[in-house]
Amino acid sequence: MATVLTERTRFILDEDRIPRAWYNIAADLPSPPPPPLHPGTGQPIGPGDLAPLFPMELIKQVVATDREIEIPDPVRDAYKLYRPSPLHRARRLEKALDTPAHIYYKYEGGSPSGSHKPNTALAQAYFNKAEGVTRLATETGAGQWGSALAFAGAAFDLEIKVFMVRASYDQKPYRRVLMETYGASVVPSPSRDTQYGQQVLAENPRHTGSLGVAISEAIEDTVTHPGTKYSLGSVFDFVLLHQTVIGQETIEQMALAGEEPDVIIGCAGGGSNFAGLTFPWLGQTFRGGRRYKVIAAEPEAAPSLTRGVYAYDFGDTAKTTPLVKMHTLGADFIPEPIHAGGLRYHGMAPLVSHLKELGAIEARSVHQVACFAAGVQFARAEGILPAPEPTHALKVAIDEALDAKAAGEERVILFNLCGHGHFDLSAYEKFLAGTLEDYEYPDAAVQKALASLPTIAS
Ligand SMILES: *Cc1c(COP(=O)(O)O)cnc(C)c1O
Protein backbone atom coordinates (compact mmCIF):
# COMPACT_ATOMS: atom_id res chain seq x y z
CA MET A 1 0.00 0.00 0.00
CA ALA A 2 1.03 3.63 -0.47
CA THR A 3 2.73 5.22 2.52
CA VAL A 4 3.83 8.74 3.43
CA LEU A 5 7.32 8.68 4.87
CA THR A 6 7.92 10.75 7.96
CA GLU A 7 10.76 10.95 10.44
CA ARG A 8 8.40 11.24 13.39
CA THR A 9 8.37 8.39 15.87
CA ARG A 10 5.73 9.52 18.40
CA PHE A 11 2.19 10.52 17.56
CA ILE A 12 0.61 12.51 20.37
CA LEU A 13 -2.97 13.80 20.61
CA ASP A 14 -4.18 16.76 22.67
CA GLU A 15 -6.26 16.17 25.79
CA ASP A 16 -9.43 17.27 23.98
CA ARG A 17 -9.00 14.28 21.63
CA ILE A 18 -9.75 11.82 24.44
CA PRO A 19 -12.85 10.06 23.03
CA ARG A 20 -16.21 11.34 24.32
CA ALA A 21 -17.88 7.95 23.90
CA TRP A 22 -16.91 4.29 24.10
CA TYR A 23 -17.39 2.31 20.89
CA ASN A 24 -19.98 -0.47 21.17
CA ILE A 25 -19.23 -3.15 18.56
CA ALA A 26 -22.69 -4.71 19.15
CA ALA A 27 -24.06 -1.99 16.82
CA ASP A 28 -22.00 -3.26 13.87
CA LEU A 29 -21.71 -7.04 14.31
CA PRO A 30 -23.03 -9.05 11.32
CA SER A 31 -24.79 -11.34 13.84
CA PRO A 32 -25.20 -11.12 17.62
CA PRO A 33 -23.19 -13.44 19.92
CA PRO A 34 -25.09 -16.24 21.73
CA PRO A 35 -26.55 -14.90 25.02
CA PRO A 36 -25.22 -15.75 28.51
CA LEU A 37 -27.36 -18.45 30.13
CA HIS A 38 -28.51 -19.08 33.69
CA PRO A 39 -26.75 -22.31 34.80
CA GLY A 40 -29.87 -23.58 36.60
CA THR A 41 -32.52 -22.97 33.96
CA GLY A 42 -30.51 -22.89 30.73
CA GLN A 43 -32.44 -19.69 29.86
CA PRO A 44 -30.81 -16.35 28.88
CA ILE A 45 -30.02 -14.32 31.99
CA GLY A 46 -31.79 -11.01 32.62
CA PRO A 47 -30.62 -7.77 34.31
CA GLY A 48 -32.01 -9.08 37.64
CA ASP A 49 -29.53 -11.97 37.64
CA LEU A 50 -26.58 -9.58 37.42
CA ALA A 51 -27.91 -6.94 39.86
CA PRO A 52 -26.29 -8.48 42.99
CA LEU A 53 -22.89 -8.18 41.30
CA PHE A 54 -22.90 -5.00 39.20
CA PRO A 55 -24.43 -1.49 39.24
CA MET A 56 -27.35 -0.93 36.84
CA GLU A 57 -25.45 1.41 34.49
CA LEU A 58 -22.89 -1.30 33.74
CA ILE A 59 -25.62 -3.92 33.23
CA LYS A 60 -27.31 -1.55 30.75
CA GLN A 61 -24.06 -1.25 28.82
CA VAL A 62 -24.02 -5.04 28.33
CA VAL A 63 -27.39 -5.03 26.56
CA ALA A 64 -27.00 -1.66 24.77
CA THR A 65 -27.03 -1.62 20.98
CA ASP A 66 -26.15 2.08 20.48
CA ARG A 67 -22.86 2.49 18.63
CA GLU A 68 -21.65 5.21 21.02
CA ILE A 69 -21.94 5.11 24.81
CA GLU A 70 -21.11 8.45 26.38
CA ILE A 71 -18.15 8.62 28.77
CA PRO A 72 -19.26 10.53 31.90
CA ASP A 73 -17.26 13.73 32.57
CA PRO A 74 -15.72 12.53 35.89
CA VAL A 75 -14.33 9.44 34.09
CA ARG A 76 -13.04 11.53 31.18
CA ASP A 77 -11.44 13.92 33.68
CA ALA A 78 -9.68 10.99 35.38
CA TYR A 79 -8.53 9.73 31.95
CA LYS A 80 -6.73 13.08 31.59
CA LEU A 81 -4.17 11.83 34.14
CA TYR A 82 -2.67 9.67 31.38
CA ARG A 83 -4.71 9.86 28.15
CA PRO A 84 -4.47 10.17 25.21
CA SER A 85 -1.68 7.59 25.28
CA PRO A 86 1.10 7.84 22.68
CA LEU A 87 1.44 5.85 19.45
CA HIS A 88 5.07 5.14 18.54
CA ARG A 89 6.68 4.01 15.33
CA ALA A 90 9.35 1.45 16.28
CA ARG A 91 11.99 2.68 13.82
CA ARG A 92 14.90 1.31 15.84
CA LEU A 93 13.28 -2.12 16.08
CA GLU A 94 12.60 -2.03 12.33
CA LYS A 95 16.29 -1.30 11.81
CA ALA A 96 17.38 -4.09 14.17
CA LEU A 97 15.19 -6.51 12.22
CA ASP A 98 16.33 -5.05 8.90
CA THR A 99 12.75 -5.21 7.70
CA PRO A 100 10.89 -3.08 5.15
CA ALA A 101 7.82 -3.39 7.41
CA HIS A 102 6.65 -0.38 9.40
CA ILE A 103 5.95 -1.29 13.02
CA TYR A 104 3.72 0.87 15.22
CA TYR A 105 2.81 0.33 18.85
CA LYS A 106 0.20 1.95 21.05
CA TYR A 107 1.71 2.36 24.50
CA GLU A 108 -0.63 1.90 27.48
CA GLY A 109 2.21 1.40 29.98
CA GLY A 110 2.25 5.12 30.84
CA SER A 111 -0.94 4.90 32.90
CA PRO A 112 -0.63 5.33 36.69
CA SER A 113 -0.65 1.57 37.36
CA GLY A 114 1.36 0.73 34.23
CA SER A 115 -1.18 -0.99 31.96
CA HIS A 116 -4.41 -0.46 30.00
CA LYS A 117 -6.50 -1.64 32.97
CA PRO A 118 -7.32 1.81 34.47
CA ASN A 119 -9.42 2.51 31.32
CA THR A 120 -12.11 0.24 32.76
CA ALA A 121 -11.18 0.42 36.47
CA LEU A 122 -11.95 4.15 36.57
CA ALA A 123 -15.25 3.63 34.73
CA GLN A 124 -16.34 0.76 37.00
CA ALA A 125 -15.39 2.64 40.18
CA TYR A 126 -17.32 5.70 38.99
CA PHE A 127 -20.55 3.83 38.10
CA ASN A 128 -20.49 1.90 41.40
CA LYS A 129 -19.87 5.04 43.44
CA ALA A 130 -22.70 6.84 41.64
CA GLU A 131 -25.12 4.09 42.76
CA GLY A 132 -24.09 4.19 46.43
CA VAL A 133 -21.69 1.23 46.53
CA THR A 134 -18.94 1.63 49.18
CA ARG A 135 -16.72 -1.41 48.60
CA LEU A 136 -15.56 -3.48 45.60
CA ALA A 137 -14.23 -7.05 45.65
CA THR A 138 -12.09 -8.39 42.84
CA GLU A 139 -9.49 -10.92 41.74
CA THR A 140 -6.12 -10.23 40.18
CA GLY A 141 -3.72 -12.50 38.30
CA ALA A 142 -0.43 -10.74 37.66
CA GLY A 143 -1.49 -7.86 39.93
CA GLN A 144 -2.07 -5.37 37.13
CA TRP A 145 -5.84 -5.42 37.49
CA GLY A 146 -5.65 -5.20 41.29
CA SER A 147 -3.30 -2.20 41.01
CA ALA A 148 -5.60 -0.50 38.52
CA LEU A 149 -8.70 -1.00 40.66
CA ALA A 150 -6.83 0.04 43.81
CA PHE A 151 -5.87 3.27 42.01
CA ALA A 152 -9.47 3.76 40.83
CA GLY A 153 -10.70 3.13 44.39
CA ALA A 154 -8.44 5.94 45.57
CA ALA A 155 -9.68 8.18 42.73
CA PHE A 156 -13.39 7.64 43.54
CA ASP A 157 -13.17 6.92 47.29
CA LEU A 158 -14.12 3.22 47.44
CA GLU A 159 -12.79 0.42 49.65
CA ILE A 160 -11.09 -2.31 47.56
CA LYS A 161 -10.57 -5.97 48.49
CA VAL A 162 -8.29 -7.97 46.18
CA PHE A 163 -7.92 -11.76 45.92
CA MET A 164 -4.50 -12.20 44.29
CA VAL A 165 -3.56 -15.50 42.61
CA ARG A 166 -1.01 -17.15 44.93
CA ALA A 167 1.62 -17.76 42.21
CA SER A 168 1.75 -14.01 41.43
CA TYR A 169 1.48 -13.00 45.09
CA ASP A 170 4.71 -14.92 45.69
CA GLN A 171 6.44 -13.87 42.42
CA LYS A 172 5.50 -10.17 42.58
CA PRO A 173 5.49 -8.86 46.17
CA TYR A 174 5.84 -5.25 44.99
CA ARG A 175 2.54 -5.39 43.11
CA ARG A 176 0.90 -6.07 46.49
CA VAL A 177 2.73 -3.12 48.06
CA LEU A 178 1.55 -0.88 45.21
CA MET A 179 -2.09 -1.94 45.80
CA GLU A 180 -1.72 -1.35 49.54
CA THR A 181 -0.16 2.05 48.90
CA TYR A 182 -3.31 3.00 46.96
CA GLY A 183 -5.29 1.82 50.01
CA ALA A 184 -6.54 -1.65 48.98
CA SER A 185 -6.42 -4.81 51.12
CA VAL A 186 -4.88 -7.85 49.43
CA VAL A 187 -4.92 -11.58 50.27
CA PRO A 188 -3.37 -14.49 48.37
CA SER A 189 -5.91 -16.77 46.66
CA PRO A 190 -6.88 -19.46 47.60
CA SER A 191 -7.44 -17.65 50.92
CA ARG A 192 -9.02 -18.45 54.27
CA ASP A 193 -11.37 -15.45 53.89
CA THR A 194 -13.99 -17.40 51.90
CA GLN A 195 -15.59 -20.81 52.24
CA TYR A 196 -14.57 -21.69 48.71
CA GLY A 197 -10.94 -20.73 49.42
CA GLN A 198 -10.95 -22.89 52.56
CA GLN A 199 -12.35 -25.80 50.56
CA VAL A 200 -9.64 -25.49 47.87
CA LEU A 201 -6.90 -25.28 50.53
CA ALA A 202 -8.29 -28.33 52.33
CA GLU A 203 -7.81 -30.32 49.11
CA ASN A 204 -4.37 -28.85 48.39
CA PRO A 205 -2.69 -26.57 50.96
CA ARG A 206 0.01 -25.68 48.39
CA HIS A 207 -2.42 -24.68 45.61
CA THR A 208 -0.76 -21.93 43.48
CA GLY A 209 -4.16 -20.46 42.64
CA SER A 210 -5.70 -19.48 39.32
CA LEU A 211 -7.87 -16.67 38.02
CA GLY A 212 -10.83 -19.06 38.08
CA VAL A 213 -10.41 -19.75 41.82
CA ALA A 214 -9.81 -16.06 42.64
CA ILE A 215 -12.95 -15.03 40.72
CA SER A 216 -15.00 -17.52 42.76
CA GLU A 217 -13.62 -16.06 45.99
CA ALA A 218 -14.30 -12.45 44.95
CA ILE A 219 -17.90 -13.32 43.98
CA GLU A 220 -18.47 -15.10 47.30
CA ASP A 221 -17.04 -12.08 49.15
CA THR A 222 -19.39 -9.77 47.19
CA VAL A 223 -22.60 -11.62 47.97
CA THR A 224 -21.68 -12.01 51.66
CA HIS A 225 -20.75 -8.33 52.32
CA PRO A 226 -23.45 -5.60 52.24
CA GLY A 227 -22.58 -2.46 50.23
CA THR A 228 -20.12 -4.50 48.15
CA LYS A 229 -20.19 -5.14 44.40
CA TYR A 230 -17.93 -7.20 42.19
CA SER A 231 -15.48 -5.73 39.73
CA LEU A 232 -13.53 -7.53 37.03
CA GLY A 233 -10.70 -6.57 34.74
CA SER A 234 -11.45 -8.52 31.57
CA VAL A 235 -13.78 -10.88 29.65
CA PHE A 236 -17.09 -9.09 30.31
CA ASP A 237 -18.65 -7.04 27.50
CA PHE A 238 -18.57 -3.75 29.43
CA VAL A 239 -14.84 -4.16 30.17
CA LEU A 240 -14.11 -4.58 26.45
CA LEU A 241 -16.31 -1.56 25.76
CA HIS A 242 -14.35 0.71 28.13
CA GLN A 243 -11.07 -0.32 26.50
CA THR A 244 -12.16 0.98 23.08
CA VAL A 245 -10.63 4.38 23.90
CA ILE A 246 -7.36 2.67 22.86
CA GLY A 247 -8.45 1.85 19.31
CA GLN A 248 -10.33 5.10 18.76
CA GLU A 249 -7.25 7.15 19.62
CA THR A 250 -5.11 4.87 17.45
CA ILE A 251 -7.30 5.46 14.40
CA GLU A 252 -6.62 9.21 14.72
CA GLN A 253 -2.93 8.66 15.40
CA MET A 254 -2.39 6.38 12.39
CA ALA A 255 -4.01 9.12 10.32
CA LEU A 256 -1.45 11.58 11.77
CA ALA A 257 1.26 9.11 10.76
CA GLY A 258 -0.25 9.00 7.27
CA GLU A 259 -0.53 5.21 7.25
CA GLU A 260 -3.09 2.47 7.65
CA PRO A 261 -2.25 -0.86 9.31
CA ASP A 262 -2.32 -4.08 7.30
CA VAL A 263 -1.96 -6.21 10.44
CA ILE A 264 -3.32 -5.40 13.93
CA ILE A 265 -2.16 -7.48 16.89
CA GLY A 266 -3.00 -7.71 20.58
CA CYS A 267 -2.20 -10.26 23.26
CA ALA A 268 -5.29 -12.03 24.58
CA GLY A 269 -5.78 -13.28 28.12
CA GLY A 270 -9.43 -12.49 28.71
CA GLY A 271 -9.48 -10.36 25.56
CA SER A 272 -9.86 -6.78 26.79
CA ASN A 273 -6.73 -5.02 25.53
CA PHE A 274 -7.02 -6.92 22.26
CA ALA A 275 -10.65 -5.79 21.93
CA GLY A 276 -9.78 -2.25 23.01
CA LEU A 277 -7.29 -1.84 20.18
CA THR A 278 -9.03 -3.85 17.47
CA PHE A 279 -12.82 -3.33 17.85
CA PRO A 280 -12.89 0.26 16.52
CA TRP A 281 -10.90 -0.91 13.46
CA LEU A 282 -13.12 -3.99 13.00
CA GLY A 283 -16.16 -1.71 13.26
CA GLN A 284 -14.91 0.28 10.27
CA THR A 285 -14.63 -2.98 8.33
CA PHE A 286 -18.15 -4.10 9.34
CA ARG A 287 -19.50 -0.72 8.17
CA GLY A 288 -18.07 -1.38 4.70
CA GLY A 289 -14.43 -0.33 5.10
CA ARG A 290 -11.34 -2.30 4.21
CA ARG A 291 -10.41 -5.57 5.91
CA TYR A 292 -7.41 -5.86 8.22
CA LYS A 293 -5.55 -8.97 9.28
CA VAL A 294 -6.36 -9.01 13.01
CA ILE A 295 -4.41 -11.43 15.22
CA ALA A 296 -4.91 -12.41 18.86
CA ALA A 297 -1.65 -13.65 20.44
CA GLU A 298 -1.94 -16.11 23.31
CA PRO A 299 0.39 -18.32 25.38
CA GLU A 300 1.03 -21.93 24.38
CA ALA A 301 0.34 -22.83 28.06
CA ALA A 302 -3.25 -21.48 27.94
CA PRO A 303 -4.28 -21.35 24.25
CA SER A 304 -8.06 -21.01 24.51
CA LEU A 305 -8.60 -19.47 21.05
CA THR A 306 -6.23 -21.73 19.12
CA ARG A 307 -6.83 -25.05 20.94
CA GLY A 308 -9.99 -24.65 23.05
CA VAL A 309 -13.52 -25.65 22.07
CA TYR A 310 -16.29 -23.11 21.38
CA ALA A 311 -18.88 -24.05 23.99
CA TYR A 312 -20.93 -22.79 26.91
CA ASP A 313 -18.81 -22.84 30.07
CA PHE A 314 -18.42 -21.20 33.46
CA GLY A 315 -16.13 -18.21 33.91
CA ASP A 316 -14.84 -19.47 37.28
CA THR A 317 -13.65 -22.67 38.91
CA ALA A 318 -16.41 -22.86 41.56
CA LYS A 319 -18.95 -22.66 38.69
CA THR A 320 -20.95 -19.76 40.10
CA THR A 321 -20.94 -17.40 37.08
CA PRO A 322 -23.49 -17.42 34.24
CA LEU A 323 -22.71 -19.79 31.39
CA VAL A 324 -21.10 -17.96 28.49
CA LYS A 325 -20.33 -19.27 25.03
CA MET A 326 -16.62 -18.88 24.48
CA HIS A 327 -13.43 -20.63 23.44
CA THR A 328 -12.53 -22.54 26.58
CA LEU A 329 -10.04 -25.07 27.89
CA GLY A 330 -12.55 -26.07 30.60
CA ALA A 331 -13.31 -24.18 33.83
CA ASP A 332 -11.42 -26.88 35.80
CA PHE A 333 -8.21 -26.31 33.82
CA ILE A 334 -5.45 -24.58 35.83
CA PRO A 335 -2.75 -23.22 33.49
CA GLU A 336 0.95 -23.63 34.37
CA PRO A 337 2.38 -20.64 36.28
CA ILE A 338 3.83 -18.82 33.25
CA HIS A 339 5.12 -15.32 33.97
CA ALA A 340 2.45 -13.67 31.83
CA GLY A 341 0.00 -14.06 34.73
CA GLY A 342 -2.58 -11.91 32.93
CA LEU A 343 -2.82 -14.56 30.19
CA ARG A 344 -3.45 -17.49 32.58
CA TYR A 345 -7.18 -17.88 32.01
CA HIS A 346 -9.14 -20.91 30.78
CA GLY A 347 -11.57 -18.95 28.60
CA MET A 348 -11.85 -15.95 26.26
CA ALA A 349 -14.24 -13.00 26.13
CA PRO A 350 -17.49 -14.12 24.42
CA LEU A 351 -17.29 -11.18 21.97
CA VAL A 352 -13.73 -12.07 20.94
CA SER A 353 -14.72 -15.75 20.62
CA HIS A 354 -17.69 -14.78 18.46
CA LEU A 355 -15.45 -12.73 16.13
CA LYS A 356 -13.15 -15.73 15.78
CA GLU A 357 -16.15 -17.90 14.81
CA LEU A 358 -17.20 -15.25 12.28
CA GLY A 359 -13.71 -15.36 10.72
CA ALA A 360 -13.14 -11.66 11.44
CA ILE A 361 -10.00 -12.38 13.51
CA GLU A 362 -7.35 -15.09 13.74
CA ALA A 363 -5.28 -16.41 16.65
CA ARG A 364 -1.72 -17.62 17.23
CA SER A 365 -0.12 -19.21 20.27
CA VAL A 366 3.51 -18.60 21.29
CA HIS A 367 5.96 -19.97 23.89
CA GLN A 368 7.18 -17.79 26.76
CA VAL A 369 10.95 -18.08 26.17
CA ALA A 370 10.60 -16.76 22.60
CA CYS A 371 8.38 -13.97 23.96
CA PHE A 372 10.96 -12.88 26.54
CA ALA A 373 13.65 -12.93 23.83
CA ALA A 374 11.43 -10.55 21.84
CA GLY A 375 10.94 -8.42 24.98
CA VAL A 376 14.70 -8.08 25.47
CA GLN A 377 15.25 -7.24 21.79
CA PHE A 378 12.52 -4.59 22.06
CA ALA A 379 13.97 -3.09 25.25
CA ARG A 380 17.39 -2.80 23.62
CA ALA A 381 15.97 -1.19 20.48
CA GLU A 382 13.13 1.00 21.80
CA GLY A 383 14.08 1.45 25.46
CA ILE A 384 10.74 0.29 26.91
CA LEU A 385 10.67 -2.96 28.91
CA PRO A 386 7.38 -4.69 27.99
CA ALA A 387 5.24 -6.63 30.48
CA PRO A 388 5.37 -10.40 29.78
CA GLU A 389 1.79 -10.35 28.37
CA PRO A 390 2.38 -7.90 25.48
CA THR A 391 5.62 -9.68 24.58
CA HIS A 392 3.20 -12.22 23.04
CA ALA A 393 1.82 -9.51 20.72
CA LEU A 394 5.34 -8.23 20.14
CA LYS A 395 6.59 -11.72 19.17
CA VAL A 396 3.82 -12.04 16.58
CA ALA A 397 4.56 -8.49 15.33
CA ILE A 398 8.24 -9.40 14.88
CA ASP A 399 7.30 -12.62 13.07
CA GLU A 400 5.07 -10.59 10.74
CA ALA A 401 7.89 -8.08 10.13
CA LEU A 402 10.33 -10.89 9.30
CA ASP A 403 7.77 -12.51 7.06
CA ALA A 404 7.34 -9.17 5.27
CA LYS A 405 11.11 -9.03 4.83
CA ALA A 406 11.17 -12.52 3.32
CA ALA A 407 8.36 -11.49 0.98
CA GLY A 408 9.99 -8.11 0.22
CA GLU A 409 6.79 -6.36 1.34
CA GLU A 410 6.31 -2.98 3.03
CA ARG A 411 3.73 -4.27 5.52
CA VAL A 412 2.32 -1.88 8.15
CA ILE A 413 2.04 -3.60 11.51
CA LEU A 414 0.28 -2.20 14.58
CA PHE A 415 0.32 -3.81 18.01
CA ASN A 416 -0.78 -2.97 21.52
CA LEU A 417 2.03 -2.57 24.04
CA CYS A 418 -0.48 -2.73 26.85
CA GLY A 419 1.84 -2.53 29.85
CA HIS A 420 5.40 -2.09 31.11
CA GLY A 421 7.36 -4.88 32.81
CA HIS A 422 8.93 -3.03 35.74
CA PHE A 423 7.27 -5.42 38.18
CA ASP A 424 8.35 -8.45 36.16
CA LEU A 425 12.09 -8.14 36.51
CA SER A 426 12.43 -11.47 38.33
CA ALA A 427 11.07 -13.15 35.18
CA TYR A 428 13.52 -11.18 33.00
CA GLU A 429 16.27 -12.18 35.45
CA LYS A 430 15.41 -15.86 34.88
CA PHE A 431 15.37 -15.34 31.12
CA LEU A 432 18.76 -13.61 31.18
CA ALA A 433 20.20 -16.40 33.35
CA GLY A 434 18.89 -18.99 30.87
CA THR A 435 16.69 -20.73 33.45
CA LEU A 436 13.27 -19.74 32.09
CA GLU A 437 11.38 -22.75 30.70
CA ASP A 438 8.62 -23.35 28.20
CA TYR A 439 5.56 -25.36 29.14
CA GLU A 440 4.26 -27.72 26.50
CA TYR A 441 0.57 -27.51 25.68
CA PRO A 442 -0.95 -29.68 28.45
CA ASP A 443 -3.21 -31.79 26.26
CA ALA A 444 -4.18 -34.39 28.92
CA ALA A 445 -5.14 -31.76 31.53
CA VAL A 446 -7.23 -29.89 28.95
CA GLN A 447 -9.01 -33.05 27.77
CA LYS A 448 -9.82 -33.86 31.40
CA ALA A 449 -11.20 -30.36 32.06
CA LEU A 450 -13.21 -30.39 28.81
CA ALA A 451 -14.79 -33.71 29.80
CA SER A 452 -16.64 -31.88 32.58
CA LEU A 453 -18.05 -29.02 30.47
CA PRO A 454 -21.61 -28.24 31.60
CA THR A 455 -24.54 -29.66 29.67
CA ILE A 456 -27.18 -27.12 28.73
CA ALA A 457 -30.79 -27.72 29.68
CA SER A 458 -32.86 -26.90 26.58
C1 LIG B 1 -4.47 -7.94 32.39
C2 LIG B 1 -3.46 -7.80 31.36
C3 LIG B 1 -3.51 -8.59 30.21
C4 LIG B 1 -4.54 -9.67 29.95
O1 LIG B 1 -5.86 -9.22 29.94
P1 LIG B 1 -6.67 -8.87 28.62
O2 LIG B 1 -8.06 -8.70 29.11
O3 LIG B 1 -6.53 -10.02 27.69
O4 LIG B 1 -6.11 -7.61 28.09
C5 LIG B 1 -2.54 -8.39 29.25
N1 LIG B 1 -1.57 -7.49 29.42
C6 LIG B 1 -1.48 -6.71 30.51
C7 LIG B 1 -0.37 -5.72 30.62
C8 LIG B 1 -2.44 -6.83 31.51
O5 LIG B 1 -2.36 -6.04 32.57
Side-chain angles (χ1 to χ4, degrees), residues 71-85:
I71 302 175
D73 282 340
V75 176
R76 216 169 155 269
D77 278 344
Y79 280 170
K80 288 178 186 165
L81 286 167
Y82 63 99
R83 304 211 71 82
S85 67

Side-chain angles (χ1 to χ4, degrees), residues 35 161 175 195 219 273 364 419 445 450:
K161 167 82 180 230
R175 273 279 171 202
Q195 284 190 359
I219 290 177
N273 89 81
R364 271 184 222 169
L450 287 177

Side-chain angles (χ1 to χ4, degrees), residues 53-407:
L53 297 181
F54 304 115
M56 222 10 102
E57 275 308 307
L58 290 177
I59 296 172
K60 280 196 214 154
Q61 290 175 4
V62 175
V63 290
T65 51
D66 319 60
R67 182 171 293 130
E68 298 200 331
I69 297 186
E70 193 190 323
I71 302 175
D73 282 340
V75 176
R76 216 169 155 269
D77 278 344
Y79 280 170
K80 288 178 186 165
L81 286 167
Y82 63 99
R83 304 211 71 82
S85 67
L87 175 80
H88 298 246
R89 176 151 169 212
R91 286 184 185 273
R92 288 164 187 265
L93 178 66
E94 290 167 15
K95 211 165 162 206
L97 297 170
D98 186 27
T99 175
H102 295 187
I103 306 173
Y104 289 86
Y105 59 97
K106 178 71 163 165
Y107 185 48
E108 292 289 312
S111 82
S113 63
S115 78
H116 63 289
K117 297 251 172 44
N119 297 334
T120 184
L122 289 166
Q124 292 186 47
Y126 168 79
F127 288 119
N128 275 286
K129 181 77 180 180
E131 293 182 29
V133 174
T134 56
R135 180 176 175 274
L136 294 174
T138 197
E139 71 283 341
T140 193
Q144 282 137 331
W145 169 242
S147 313
L149 194 66
F151 154 62
F156 288 103
D157 189 25
L158 286 159
E159 230 182 285
I160 307 292
K161 167 82 180 230
V162 182
F163 292 87
M164 183 172 189
V165 174
R166 165 65 83 178
S168 296
Y169 188 91
D170 293 338
Q171 280 170 5
K172 303 184 179 185
Y174 296 126
R175 273 279 171 202
R176 171 178 57 78
V177 179
L178 179 62
M179 290 183 256
E180 290 171 348
T181 302
Y182 284 131
S185 60
V186 188
V187 290
S189 167
S191 79
R192 306 220 161 266
D193 291 8
T194 65
Q195 284 190 359
Y196 184 66
Q198 290 169 18
Q199 186 188 319
V200 171
L201 286 172
E203 282 162 27
N204 177 5
R206 297 165 57 104
H207 201 294
T208 53
S210 73
L211 269 182
V213 171
I215 293 169
S216 305
E217 286 207 274
I219 290 177
E220 183 184 325
D221 178 290
T222 301
V223 298
T224 53
H225 288 77
T228 299
K229 296 267 186 209
Y230 170 64
S231 193
L232 79 179
S234 188
V235 182
F236 235 71
D237 293 5
F238 63 71
V239 178
L240 276 53
L241 174 80
H242 300 155
Q243 293 297 351
T244 58
V245 289
I246 301 173
Q248 293 184 70
E249 287 175 7
T250 309
I251 287 175
E252 286 203 35
Q253 288 164 313
M254 288 300 303
L256 278 183
E259 301 215 77
E260 229 194 325
D262 300 302
V263 190
I264 309 176
I265 307 161
C267 67
S272 76
N273 89 81
F274 170 79
L277 174 67
T278 63
F279 281 12
W281 292 95
L282 286 165
Q284 293 187 345
T285 306
F286 290 141
R287 295 194 299 276
R290 75 168 267 224
R291 242 194 107 112
Y292 310 99
K293 181 170 171 182
V294 178
I295 310 173
E298 57 180 14
E300 185 69 14
S304 52
L305 275 176
T306 46
R307 311 282 269 277
V309 299
Y310 184 55
Y312 273 103
D313 197 6
F314 292 97
D316 69 331
T317 310
K319 311 192 172 176
T320 50
T321 65
L323 291 170
V324 291
K325 194 153 190 191
M326 61 180 176
H327 290 88
T328 178
L329 301 165
D332 292 330
F333 173 66
I334 312 275
E336 300 286 353
I338 50 168
H339 287 277
L343 306 184
R344 283 184 75 215
Y345 184 61
H346 68 271
M348 184 53 61
L351 276 172
V352 173
S353 290
H354 182 57
L355 288 164
K356 173 90 175 358
E357 286 302 294
L358 291 175
I361 65 167
E362 48 192 276
R364 271 184 222 169
S365 65
V366 275
H367 276 297
Q368 73 171 355
V369 174
C371 290
F372 274 93
V376 168
Q377 181 171 33
F378 188 83
R380 289 178 185 172
E382 295 289 318
I384 295 174
L385 184 84
E389 292 85 359
T391 62
H392 291 68
L394 168 65
K395 171 73 173 87
V396 172
I398 289 176
D399 288 347
E400 283 287 321
L402 293 176
D403 186 63
K405 178 180 169 179

